Amino acid sequence: MAQLASRLAENVPGDFYVDSTCIDCDTCRWMAPEVFARADSIEQSFVVRQPEAEPARTRSLMALVACPTASIGTVSKLDARSAAARFPELIADEIYYCGYTSEKSFGASSYLLRRAAGNVLVDSPRAAGPLVARLAELGGVRQMFLSHRDDVADHARFRARFGCERLAHRLERLPVERVLEREEPVQIAPDLLAIPVPGHTRGSTALLYREKFLFTGDHLWWSGTRGRLNASQAVCWYSWPEQTRSMERLLDYRFEWVLPGHGRRYHAASPAAMRAELEELVLEMRRSL
């Protein structure tokens, strides 16, 4: 739990606050941008404006629940159970954001794909009781797609609870039931395509769902500060030239959503608009080589 004694001085006066355990994962800032901001001088989040009315108040409580380090608190000890019950949160077309991020994955986002053929959990959230119970209500988890080794968090606990088949690329060396061996795309199901995108890590893999939603792990995301698609050489653990080539290969696919582990999600107006955004990023990455 957040500790009032460790409340950051940058917080504005009022009920909500962030304490010094914040790891700067950005979750609260994109969930409730009118309430939370980044203090660049300390590289942590803080409350820039108190949420006085709805929906800002509920969004702030959802950020409190989602925070991987429990760094958000309220002086009055507000009951967050109603906010917690909103997870998983519907994004579009039976795609859900799980919330409940984990410190083990530095606050990475994870997603539920609710499908008639069986639900898929993309990367791992924190295995919190309320979330696990809600996932069971939504039909459980048949498969768990792990984009790369950084965002696996509590994957073993989800395997134990739901008996789900875990999938990951062999180069990530994860203890999974289905190993993706090839360097080329693999059709996991008629509506699911695993696309190797080496770069951030050697075995990083994206998941394309219904030629509309691309789950990108830490390969590609939307930058709120830059207002565009982004990839970062500073957090490329394997090979920036490889990541550049992987990014270029994504131009071969149609999609209009980018749903990342780290960074912000993005919905383009059309697949053509997404392609134009991606082309700009590829050009920028090429220039940096």
Side-chain angles (χ1 to χ4, degrees), residues 28 47 58 66 81 88 91 107 125 179 186-187 216 265 279 284 289:
C28 66
V47 175
T58 293
R81 283 177 293 183
I91 299 171
V179 177
V186 176
Q187 200 78 50
T216 58
R265 60 182 180 248
E279 286 174 339
E284 180 184 356
L289 294 176

Side-chain angles (χ1 to χ4, degrees), residues 7-283:
R7 175 176 180 156
L8 294 172
E10 286 76 6
N11 292 290
V12 299
D15 201 10
F16 281 82
Y17 65 92
V18 179
D19 76 9
S20 60
T21 61
C22 170
I23 59 173
D24 193 28
C25 74
D26 192 41
T27 299
C28 66
R29 301 195 296 268
W30 70 256
M31 289 194 70
E34 68 276 29
V35 175
F36 300 98
R38 186 178 194 265
D40 293 338
S41 60
I42 58 173
E43 299 183 341
Q44 291 177 304
S45 295
F46 72 104
V47 175
V48 68
R49 185 178 300 107
Q50 290 291 334
E52 303 297 342
E54 297 296 347
R57 197 169 178 82
T58 293
R59 295 299 298 176
S60 298
L61 284 171
M62 290 176 70
L64 181 154
V65 172
C67 177
T69 48
S71 301
I72 302 171
T74 58
V75 177
S76 63
K77 310 273 187 205
L78 288 175
D79 189 340
R81 283 177 293 183
S82 62
R86 291 176 176 263
F87 293 118
E89 180 183 32
L90 181 64
I91 299 171
D93 298 357
E94 294 298 302
I95 305 296
Y96 296 79
Y97 166 62
C98 290
Y100 287 95
T101 65
S102 172
E103 187 175 9
K104 299 173 188 175
S105 296
F106 202 80
S109 296
S110 57
Y111 306 92
L112 177 73
L113 288 63
R114 199 175 183 202
R115 305 162 61 245
N119 295 345
V120 179
L121 193 59
V122 178
D123 289 327
S124 177
R126 195 179 348 134
L131 176 64
V132 173
R134 183 64 181 136
L135 291 175
E137 291 174 4
L138 291 172
V141 180
R142 181 177 178 182
Q143 291 179 308
M144 192 171 192
F145 181 87
L146 301 174
S147 64
H148 66 297
R149 62 179 176 268
D150 295 341
D151 294 353
V152 300
D154 290 339
H155 69 99
R157 294 181 63 183
F158 286 99
R159 163 68 180 173
R161 170 62 180 82
F162 294 108
C164 52
E165 176 189 54
R166 295 167 294 181
L167 299 86
H169 198 279
R170 64 179 175 81
L171 294 173
E172 296 301 277
R173 298 182 179 181
L174 293 169
V176 299
E177 289 66 48
R178 183 172 176 183
V179 177
L180 304 175
E181 298 280 357
R182 297 168 54 188
E183 307 304 316
E184 299 80 29
V186 176
Q187 200 78 50
I188 296 171
D191 56 351
L192 292 168
L193 181 68
I195 306 171
V197 285
H200 173 70
T201 63
R202 194 177 178 191
S204 288
T205 308
L207 181 67
L208 181 61
Y209 177 50
R210 289 174 24 199
E211 295 190 322
K212 185 175 182 179
F213 301 92
L214 186 69
F215 300 88
T216 58
D218 294 348
H219 175 70
L220 171 67
W221 63 90
W222 181 263
S223 169
T225 55
R226 302 183 68 197
R228 59 181 297 182
L229 289 176
N230 194 48
S232 173
Q233 193 167 2
V235 292
C236 178
W237 312 135
Y238 171 57
S239 168
W240 186 243
E242 279 293 318
Q243 189 161 350
T244 301
R245 286 189 284 272
S246 296
M247 199 70 73
E248 185 172 8
R249 286 193 292 272
L250 287 181
L251 293 169
D252 294 336
Y253 302 96
R254 285 174 52 88
F255 55 94
E256 59 187 67
W257 282 88
V258 165
L259 297 156
H262 288 102
R264 305 188 181 195
R265 60 182 180 248
Y266 176 57
H267 183 204
S270 66
M274 179 66 82
R275 180 184 173 87
E277 293 274 3
L278 189 58
E279 286 174 339
E280 286 189 20
L281 176 59
V282 169
L283 287 173

